[in-house]
Amino acid sequence: MASATHNSTPPAPPVTVQARIRRSLLSANCAVPLALFNALFAGLLALMIGSAALTPWLAIACSLCVADLLVRMVVRRTSRAAMPWPVLVTDAGVGMLWLFAALRFFPTGVPELQFYFLFSIGAAALCTAVYQHYWLPACFARIGAAMPVAGWQLLGADTPFAVLRASIVIAVWLAMLWLAYKLHQALLQRLQLTAARDALLRQVAESARELDVLREEEARSRAEAEQANLAKSRFLAHSSHDLRQPLHAIRLLLETVDDSALDQASVHVIERVRHSTDALGKLFDSLLDLTLLDTGQVAVDEHDVDVRELLMEVADDFAELARSNDVTLAVDATAHQASADPTVLRRMVQNLVANAIRHTPRGTVRLRSREANGELWLDVDDTGSGIAPQDQERIFEEFTRIADATAGQAGERLGLGLSIVSRLARFSNVSVTLDSAPGRGSCFTLGPFRATLPRVAAPSPAALAASSLAGQRVVVLDDDAETLEATGRLLKKWGLTVHLADRPEQLGLEDADILICDVELGPGPDGIEVVREAQAATASRIKPLLISGNASAELKARAQAHALTLLHKPVQPAQLKSAILTLVGNHQ
């Protein structure tokens, strides 16, 4: 639509120099003063000479001035010729009239009258040079030969210095012609500069129109791409529950398998399935992170985070992966705390550690924190193959993998980890930098975070509750039969008494200590509403835990508003057990 608007109003054609001269020659600013001055000086000549024979000449002179003015007006409105040749006829007529006056009425014997005569002719010639220099043929035709003829007449006059006076008159006539020529040349230069300026302005205007069209097309394309990207992200966000539900059930079922009852080949198969399930879970986590970032659902909620504890927990999470890659994980952290969102910070460190292990087939990955001037920096340092300088910027782009990456799980090699770290760092108002060279490993640095003084650590709720988990009565509510069965089998393996329900009506809360509830329960109330009713029915005695495949900010805000613990599918068994231990510890 924007292009059509621009094309419907094309720019006006350029005005040539000849057209500008023609327009100036025929304009009222030129024609009217020229006619008035010629009539004025003709009248002065007739008045000063005082000859009755000049009366018809004066009438003709005034008639020619009016005729010249009318011809210019008519030509300006009707003719489209390059030059107004009819004007040349009237100008020649005026010039002939002044020549006739010089031949017929020149006062040869009276010096005073000669002066008046020459003054009138010279003044008329000067006006012609000033107002008629636009077109030299018309200018020279009007100036004509009146002045040189008058000068010649001086030679026959019986006056002193006749030759000198005649020479001065002819010199003045030549000066008038030269003035008209120089004015015409200056006019041409000015008009050419004006034409060049107008041409440049037209080019600028055309370039601006084209640029506007390109900008509108770019904006439209960008808007369409953003809409498509948001649609994709919304689809992933809305369908994440359905995508994660089977994976969540598989993880829980695998954890219930008793490896001691299986032969070596079966144990190997189970381990491969567990490893593939973990890789698929990481892929879902990466895609979900990108979805949340694209849809603007990442909200940074800063707290004081114990950096040493966080780094130790991340190292424990990756201990098995590090052993399988013959990598040693080391933690060297100060006792300071960092002001950061714990979930976002953990995610960034996890992605950096996973990337370091993948690119360090044998060696050491060190997690380090350092404090300076009230600022805290986190380093993930490895002794891997290093990264070439030409790859150090593009590795933070989505789906980018460098050529010398070591083999890993398919889900781990999509090239999303560092991109997510970069985008989460921008959301957290910190930077992520890289110091690397081929053959000497890589060091990724996050920061700066505001450092705070460490607080005295208190015993963790999980440690306090570890001995009291057995015998706890748990009610599990989930509308997916496979997930419900897998969760029940895993909880029973941990020594809990389990009651399973696939509808809210089947809940038995009389003796229950814990309620594990899925948020998406199909038609009817969702998990948060069910939990709120259960708390009201048990006077808040029951300890609720929500599980959902929906990681939207709205759901997180609802859970926080009711002080409910929320886990996102697929849930690691260790994560589920830690959450239950925390619930038990908080209520003791």
Side-chain angles (χ1 to χ4, degrees):
M1 183 177 296
S3 299
T5 302
H6 286 292
N7 293 335
S8 61
T9 56
V15 181
T16 63
V17 173
Q18 277 193 339
R20 293 177 185 273
I21 291 177
R22 179 182 185 277
R23 187 168 58 190
S24 299
L25 181 66
L26 299 176
S27 67
N29 293 334
C30 171
V32 173
L34 190 61
L36 290 178
F37 281 122
N38 272 273
L40 174 63
F41 293 126
L44 287 176
L45 178 62
L47 180 63
M48 292 176 181
I49 299 299
S51 174
L54 277 174
T55 302
W57 178 87
L58 177 60
I60 295 173
C62 293
S63 300
L64 274 177
C65 291
V66 174
D68 180 67
L69 185 60
L70 293 176
V71 166
R72 291 172 188 262
M73 294 176 57
V74 172
V75 171
R76 184 172 68 245
R77 296 185 179 182
T78 59
S79 176
R80 292 293 180 266
M83 282 301 168
W85 295 104
V87 175
L88 185 61
V89 176
T90 57
D91 287 333
V94 174
M96 294 295 292
L97 189 67
W98 283 106
L99 177 60
F100 176 78
L103 290 172
R104 178 69 179 81
F105 304 116
F106 186 80
T108 56
V110 184
E112 292 81 2
L113 294 180
Q114 291 176 3
F115 172 77
Y116 293 145
F117 193 95
L118 292 173
F119 172 78
S120 298
I121 294 178
L126 178 61
C127 291
T128 300
V130 172
Y131 290 102
Q132 193 76 354
H133 67 273
Y134 300 103
W135 192 24
L136 286 181
C139 181
F140 292 160
R142 183 179 282 262
I143 292 177
M147 288 190 70
V149 169
W152 180 261
Q153 297 276 19
L154 283 174
L155 293 178
D158 187 14
T159 58
F161 307 107
V163 175
L164 178 60
R165 295 170 66 185
S167 301
I168 293 175
V169 170
I170 294 175
V172 172
W173 174 73
L174 293 175
M176 297 299 174
L177 297 180
W178 178 253
L179 175 63
Y181 173 77
K182 295 304 292 183
L183 289 175
H184 181 73
Q185 293 298 315
L187 172 68
L188 287 179
Q189 292 181 2
R190 180 170 62 84
L191 293 180
Q192 288 170 355
L193 290 175
T194 302
R197 180 203 63 188
D198 292 346
L200 181 59
L201 291 177
R202 283 194 301 273
Q203 292 178 1
V204 171
E206 183 64 26
S207 299
R209 280 191 293 270
E210 294 176 356
L211 184 60
D212 288 341
V213 172
L214 291 177
R215 284 175 176 171
E216 291 175 2
E217 292 177 353
E218 180 186 3
R220 184 166 56 252
S221 300
R222 186 188 301 114
E224 292 174 354
E226 290 175 353
Q227 288 297 325
N229 190 46
L230 286 176
K232 177 264 298 180
S233 299
R234 293 191 187 100
F235 169 76
L236 289 177
H238 292 160
S239 61
S240 61
H241 177 267
D242 296 332
L243 295 173
R244 289 166 174 266
Q245 187 82 338
L247 182 61
H248 176 64
I250 292 172
R251 273 185 170 174
L252 298 181
L253 286 172
L254 286 173
E255 191 64 24
T256 64
V257 176
D258 186 2
D259 293 350
S260 62
L262 302 176
D263 55 39
Q264 190 63 30
S266 299
V267 171
H268 179 70
V269 171
I270 291 296
E271 285 301 319
R272 292 292 300 274
V273 173
R274 284 172 178 164
H275 205 65
S276 298
T277 304
D278 289 340
L280 185 58
K282 293 176 182 178
L283 171 60
F284 274 128
D285 290 339
S286 297
L287 291 176
L288 181 61
D289 286 340
L290 288 178
T291 299
L292 295 178
L293 289 168
D294 288 338
T295 55
Q297 299 185 42
V298 175
V300 177
D301 185 14
E302 291 189 357
H303 301 286
D304 287 340
V305 181
D306 190 320
V307 174
R308 176 183 292 172
E309 180 179 346
L310 183 144
L311 296 182
M312 292 295 295
E313 290 176 356
V314 172
D316 290 341
D317 293 340
F318 286 90
E320 184 62 32
L321 178 62
R323 281 193 295 270
S324 64
N325 284 270
D326 199 13
V327 172
T328 300
L329 279 177
V331 177
D332 180 14
T334 66
H336 289 80
Q337 293 181 325
S339 179
D341 186 304
T343 303
V344 173
L345 180 58
R346 176 186 292 271
R347 187 62 174 154
M348 289 191 289
V349 175
Q350 286 175 334
N351 284 11
L352 291 177
V353 172
N355 178 76
I357 294 175
R358 284 199 302 273
H359 293 274
T360 308
R362 292 181 181 85
T364 301
V365 174
R366 187 176 301 277
L367 285 67
R368 183 171 56 239
S369 68
R370 46 191 172 86
E371 186 271 340
N373 299 322
E375 294 180 337
L376 198 68
W377 304 82
L378 303 183
D379 300 327
V380 177
D381 195 354
D382 66 67
T383 59
S385 56
I387 303 173
Q390 64 269 21
D391 295 326
Q392 292 186 12
E393 289 189 7
R394 69 184 188 90
I395 61 171
F396 291 101
E397 300 174 0
E398 296 173 3
F399 306 106
T400 297
R401 292 175 290 169
I402 59 175
D404 61 345
T406 57
Q409 296 302 314
E412 297 170 347
R413 294 187 289 113
L414 288 177
L416 295 174
L418 294 181
S419 171
I420 292 172
V421 171
S422 177
R423 297 175 69 173
L424 288 176
R426 289 197 297 271
F427 271 95
S428 303
N429 292 322
V430 297
S431 61
V432 53
T433 58
L434 169 62
D435 180 17
S436 179
R440 70 172 181 85
S442 305
C443 179
F444 289 87
T445 300
L446 286 171
F449 299 93
R450 183 173 59 85
T452 58
L453 294 175
R455 294 178 297 184
V456 178
S460 65
L464 295 175
S467 60
S468 59
L469 188 59
Q472 291 286 325
R473 297 176 297 275
V474 182
V475 175
V476 182
L477 174 60
D478 199 312
D479 62 343
D480 184 78
E482 295 180 356
T483 302
L484 189 63
E485 178 186 357
T487 305
R489 293 180 63 179
L490 181 60
L491 295 176
K492 289 176 181 178
K493 182 180 178 180
W494 292 342
L496 289 91
T497 301
V498 181
H499 172 71
L500 303 180
D502 60 2
R503 297 190 306 276
E505 296 81 10
Q506 297 178 346
L507 290 177
L509 303 175
E510 294 79 8
D511 299 324
D513 300 309
I514 301 170
L515 172 60
I516 300 177
C517 184
D518 189 22
V519 175
E520 290 79 15
L521 297 174
D526 63 8
I528 293 180
E529 295 171 347
V530 171
V531 165
R532 296 292 295 164
E533 293 177 0
Q535 287 179 319
T538 61
S540 299
R541 172 183 52 81
I542 198 165
K543 299 176 281 292
L545 175 62
L546 295 172
I547 299 178
S548 174
N550 181 3
S552 66
E554 291 82 2
L555 179 59
K556 182 179 178 181
R558 286 184 63 200
Q560 289 178 345
H562 298 295
L564 300 176
T565 302
L566 175 64
L567 300 180
H568 295 292
K569 299 177 182 179
V571 179
Q572 292 276 8
Q575 185 183 10
L576 177 61
K577 187 173 184 179
S578 176
I580 295 175
L581 289 173
T582 300
L583 286 176
V584 174
N586 287 339
H587 284 74
Q588 285 185 342

